[in-house]
Amino acid sequence: ASAHDSAGTEDEEGREDEYLPQGQHLLVDIKNVNAEFLNSEERLVDAMVELVKSAGLSLVSYHCHALSPTGVSCVGVLLESHISFHTW
């Protein structure tokens, strides 16, 4: 059996293959979005599911929570990574 670690794996000849992060980490501030949309758990869930689907990713699970007095936080676990929305 070969040794495995977060940097890569050894092949049958003992060479290590390096696994580098893929994709992008985006932090986006968006302005002038409808306040009713930003305060709706249901609409944000629908947006997250559609975004994940259109990107060809795999949504494993998600959770949204309404904030007080305003806003919503949503997080989705993807097979590939994660996604989150926070509004206030």
Side-chain angles (χ1 to χ4, degrees):
S2 296
H4 297 275
D5 63 28
S6 61
T9 61
E10 288 185 14
D11 65 15
E12 293 177 7
E13 297 175 7
R15 294 179 304 220
E16 188 168 306
D17 295 323
E18 186 175 349
Y19 292 97
L20 299 175
Q22 296 182 7
Q24 298 176 339
H25 183 194
L26 302 175
L27 177 60
V28 180
D29 287 328
I30 301 172
K31 297 180 180 184
N32 301 318
V33 178
N34 180 286
E36 289 181 21
F37 173 79
L38 295 176
N39 282 311
S40 170
E41 285 183 69
E42 182 178 342
R43 291 177 71 184
L44 286 170
V45 166
D46 290 345
M48 181 171 23
V49 170
E50 184 58 35
L51 176 65
V52 168
K53 183 188 290 186
S54 70
L57 301 171
S58 305
L59 185 63
V60 175
S61 65
Y62 65 84
H63 177 77
C64 290
H65 181 77
L67 305 174
S68 180
T70 185
V72 177
S73 283
C74 294
V75 63
V77 177
L78 309 175
L79 283 178
E80 302 81 3
S81 186
H82 65 279
I83 185 171
S84 61
F85 297 158
H86 305 283
T87 70
W88 54 89

